[in-house]
Amino acid sequence: GNRFEESRALGSLGGVHQACGHHQLAMECFRQQLIAAKNCSNRREVAVAMGRIGETHYNLREDRMALQVFQDCATMAHEANDWSEEARIIGVMADVHVALKNNEEAEECHTSRLRLVREKQLESREELRAMADLGNFHCTTGDVAKGLAILRGMVELARQRQDNHMESRGLRALARAHEA
């Protein structure tokens, strides 16, 4: 059969299992998805499958394994010129580093993600998300002044782009930071 379609179907099935909290079943689907993606030589699909395996490890609190998989996934996405997936995975890696209390590594991931989004001129909302995540990171790890400055910049950029949703997200983040 069509290995690409099989890969996609396995990924969808794994996603349903994941959403239902059946992480072991999801992992099996994602591993099968990865095999099918490799068999059809589709680098982007391989990167997606690897990312889902990493997310499942993260959901299972296997943080170090998740980081290894995410690093491989980011490399694969980079090699496939899938900048959006690479940026997404780098953002997820930041979350894992936060969970492990590796704040320097988390900050580097957030900063790298924002730099990649800007260098590759990805979808404008992705830049706003990356700024919000970096600002929130600084606010929650003690550098509130830096976090507030980034969040204010994000809100201003959202206003310039007339993105009401992201402006609202930024304003909520600023309010939470001021309350803390």
Side-chain angles (χ1 to χ4, degrees):
N2 184 331
R3 298 299 279 178
F4 179 76
E5 291 301 323
E6 179 183 349
S7 175
R8 283 284 173 90
L10 287 163
S12 294
L13 180 59
V16 170
H17 284 304
Q18 189 86 291
C20 293
H22 305 139
H23 302 301
Q24 294 297 342
L25 290 171
M27 181 69 82
E28 184 55 35
C29 289
F30 297 144
R31 286 185 174 139
Q32 290 178 24
Q33 177 190 19
L34 179 60
I35 292 167
K38 286 180 177 179
N39 286 336
C40 70
S41 301
N42 185 315
R43 285 180 171 232
R44 184 185 185 292
E45 194 69 11
V46 169
V48 168
M50 290 173 65
R52 296 186 100 173
I53 289 169
E55 289 165 3
T56 305
H57 281 299
Y58 184 54
N59 289 335
L60 291 168
R61 299 294 179 245
E62 299 167 351
D63 296 335
R64 297 204 186 288
M65 180 62 80
L67 275 177
Q68 284 181 311
V69 173
F70 286 138
Q71 186 58 57
D72 292 343
C73 181
T75 299
M76 181 70 69
H78 181 83
E79 290 171 355
N81 296 327
D82 189 345
W83 313 121
S84 293
E85 181 67 4
E86 182 182 2
R88 186 185 76 77
I89 292 297
I90 292 170
V92 175
M93 287 172 62
D95 295 339
V96 178
H97 281 298
V98 167
L100 291 169
K101 305 210 181 325
N102 298 337
N103 288 345
E104 286 181 26
E105 292 88 344
E107 180 179 13
E108 176 56 33
C109 286
H110 281 302
T111 303
S112 294
R113 175 183 171 210
L114 182 57
R115 185 173 41 250
L116 176 65
V117 166
R118 287 177 171 164
E119 284 174 5
K120 301 301 179 183
Q121 298 178 341
L122 300 181
E123 191 260 323
S124 68
R125 190 170 271 184
E126 191 57 38
E127 179 181 13
L128 296 170
R129 283 187 198 105
M131 291 176 74
D133 290 345
L134 180 60
N136 286 328
F137 167 78
H138 284 295
C139 287
T140 58
T141 57
D143 196 346
V144 177
K146 188 173 187 177
L148 290 174
I150 293 168
L151 290 170
R152 285 187 195 107
M154 176 264 188
V155 168
E156 182 55 36
L157 192 57
R159 284 181 179 149
Q160 290 171 11
R161 295 177 179 171
Q162 299 179 342
D163 187 331
N164 295 333
H165 172 76
M166 291 306 290
E167 177 185 355
S168 175
R169 178 178 169 183
L171 290 170
R172 285 191 309 273
L174 282 169
R176 279 192 307 274
H178 281 289
E179 290 171 0

